[in-house]
Amino acid sequence: MKYILKPITMIAAAIAIISCGGPKESGSQTPADALLDRLTDLVDEGKIMFGHQDDLMYGHSWKLADDATEYVQSDVFATCGQYPAIYGMDLGGIEMDWPANLDKNRFDHMRASAVAHHERGGITTFSWHPRNPLTGGDAWDVSSDQVVASILPGGEKHDYFMTWLAKAADFLGSIKTADGQTVPVIWRPWHEHTGSWFWWGQKLCTTEQYKALWQMTYDYMVNERGLDNLVWSYSPGAGELTSVEVYGERYPGDEIIDMVGFDCYFYSTREDYLAKMTNALDITKAFADEHGKLMAITETGYEGVKDAKWWTEVLYQAMKDYPVSYVLVWRNACDAHMQHHFYAPFPEHESAEDFKAFAALDQMMFL
Ligand code: BMA
């Protein structure tokens, strides 16, 4: 989906505005365009939306009941009294017809909670860790460097993979309010491709194959299926970003991408993280400016948040001077053996007080 208005669209929009009294009544704007406008306005206002993966599905010590009908529990809300503005979820498993995704979130709850979040004024983003269509392994199975080649047109798994895209498209197009309005979402497939830990990663396919994978995904979802509710997001891993050229090496093109970002985690020290973030933000901003795109920190966090002032003294300091649309921290796993795997606080956590101060900052947007 393009954000740049073509002359014919501009004329149509002008006629609609004149005849209907304003852009809101024009009826010609797609859900994705409306979301992009909103995202642009918020950046212009200097807001950074806070996001949390799987926020309404489970938390550090709770999980949504199978028969739940409302989506109100949240570690972020329990800590600061507000919901995250951005709600991340992952479609991994949709391709297998599983009832729940790879992190055990039921797809029916994912759909309904995305609608509930939208009705609360929030924005949902979906990533996708699909299984490996060639080997039968998971997204992290990098045992073959022929996977992307095999699913492109002419490849032995092409037809099979198109059934996976169909299932993802069915889901993304099915997020609707009770009165039938399609909910716009930020769609972020094929992420962290500058690393080589997913089957679509740097060493697992060529630049041409990676770009062709995006083109095929976009052509199918937008041109063939007519999905008009997707804001397309591109997010390399920050670790490999040594220059703007590296950032753009596998960029699928301005016609496909609406928003650019990166994934960057805290692994060792404040200094190391701040240096990595500054580097990735500088490069992403230069690229975003050059291409007229919005920018975001599509994934970040410190597993276990082992720094009581991490929110105001590290994360906020790293991003406050950049026009960041949103920053999303990863999930708070609830499984017994994954208790260390959390990236947002919960009320008893040592960083909870600092998180409240972070959430109260003017620049930060929660709901
Ligand atoms: C990873 C971990 C995994 C999870 C995956 C997809 O970073 O959190 O446990 O399955 O993301 O959400």
Side-chain angles (χ1 to χ4, degrees):
M1 203 219 23
K2 280 188 208 150
Y3 190 48
I4 300 157
L5 289 180
K6 290 192 183 128
I8 188 85
T9 321
M10 291 171 77
I11 294 164
I15 292 167
I17 290 165
I18 293 160
S19 57
C20 302
K24 287 203 178 91
E25 290 89 356
S26 74
S28 62
Q29 211 189 24
T30 65
D33 285 338
L35 175 53
L36 263 176
D37 279 355
R38 181 159 176 236
L39 292 167
T40 305
D41 287 348
L42 288 168
V43 169
D44 288 347
E45 285 166 32
K47 295 291 180 196
I48 301 178
M49 288 184 278
F50 181 77
H52 184 212
Q53 186 75 1
D54 287 346
D55 187 72
L56 303 169
M57 292 287 103
Y58 54 82
H60 184 247
S61 56
W62 60 273
K63 181 156 175 54
L64 186 78
D66 278 358
D67 61 355
T69 54
E70 49 176 18
Y71 306 95
V72 288
Q73 196 166 359
S74 148
D75 279 353
V76 168
F77 185 87
T79 306
C80 73
Q82 297 182 83
Y83 287 102
I86 297 279
Y87 175 30
M89 284 186 279
D90 195 274
L91 289 188
I94 196 100
E95 70 282 359
M96 309 306 292
D97 290 322
W98 291 347
N101 82 347
L102 77 172
D103 297 319
K104 307 190 191 106
N105 304 325
R106 290 171 50 134
F107 285 108
D108 54 353
H109 283 318
M110 286 171 57
R111 181 187 297 110
S113 63
V115 174
H117 184 65
H118 168 76
E119 286 172 344
R120 203 179 266 152
I123 296 164
T124 297
T125 175
F126 285 97
S127 51
W128 192 18
H129 289 79
R131 294 184 65 82
N132 185 316
L134 182 62
T135 65
D138 63 19
W140 292 265
D141 178 355
V142 289
S143 58
S144 165
D145 61 5
Q146 293 304 307
V147 188
V148 175
S150 78
I151 61 176
L152 291 174
E156 59 173 300
K157 294 288 179 187
H158 175 68
D159 291 348
Y160 176 55
F161 184 74
M162 293 313 284
T163 67
W164 287 18
L165 278 187
K167 290 170 199 190
D170 287 347
F171 182 89
L172 292 167
S174 73
I175 309 165
K176 292 179 193 271
T177 59
D179 61 358
Q181 308 274 333
T182 308
V183 174
V185 299
I186 299 169
W187 169 228
R188 189 173 70 92
W190 317 131
H191 67 305
E192 298 179 11
H193 64 283
T194 44
S196 298
W197 46 84
F198 296 130
W199 56 254
W200 57 88
Q202 183 77 23
K203 295 195 181 122
L204 290 309
C205 58
T206 65
T207 298
E208 289 65 37
Q209 288 167 343
Y210 181 76
K211 287 186 181 180
L213 174 61
W214 270 94
Q215 190 69 52
M216 182 173 86
T217 307
Y218 183 87
D219 282 345
Y220 176 73
M221 291 191 167
V222 175
N223 300 334
E224 203 167 324
R225 295 292 302 271
L227 292 184
D228 63 1
N229 64 323
L230 307 180
V231 165
W232 292 71
S233 164
Y234 171 76
S235 64
E240 300 75 36
L241 298 180
T242 46
S243 67
V244 181
E245 289 67 41
V246 168
Y247 187 94
E249 195 236 326
R250 296 191 171 199
Y251 181 64
D254 287 343
E255 311 72 35
I256 295 179
I257 299 300
D258 300 304
M259 181 171 217
V260 296
F262 60 85
D263 293 2
C264 180
Y265 283 89
F266 184 107
Y267 290 116
S268 55
T269 62
R270 283 183 170 200
E271 293 67 33
D272 170 72
Y273 177 76
L274 286 171
K276 263 196 322 185
M277 286 284 276
T278 302
N279 173 65
L281 283 160
D282 284 342
I283 287 173
T284 307
K285 181 170 186 310
F287 190 89
D289 287 350
E290 207 175 288
H291 293 258
K293 303 292 174 185
L294 293 167
M295 66 183 277
I297 302 169
T298 44
E299 282 184 37
T300 192
Y302 180 4
E303 189 182 57
V305 203
K306 296 169 199 142
D307 179 335
K309 295 270 187 182
W310 196 75
W311 304 100
T312 59
E313 292 186 6
V314 185
L315 179 60
Y316 182 63
Q317 296 308 320
M319 67 187 178
K320 69 179 176 38
D321 296 326
Y322 295 86
V324 171
S325 167
Y326 75 85
V327 57
L328 178 137
V329 298
W330 206 240
R331 63 200 199 96
N332 283 11
C334 62
D335 308 73
H337 68 287
M338 295 281 274
Q339 288 288 292
H340 61 285
H341 192 60
F342 64 87
Y343 295 85
F346 36 89
E348 320 79 71
H349 188 263
E350 61 164 330
S351 77
E353 278 311 307
D354 189 56
F355 188 76
K356 280 189 223 171
F358 170 77
L361 292 166
D362 254 7
Q363 208 179 336
M364 295 309 305
M365 181 174 154
F366 286 69
L367 302 175

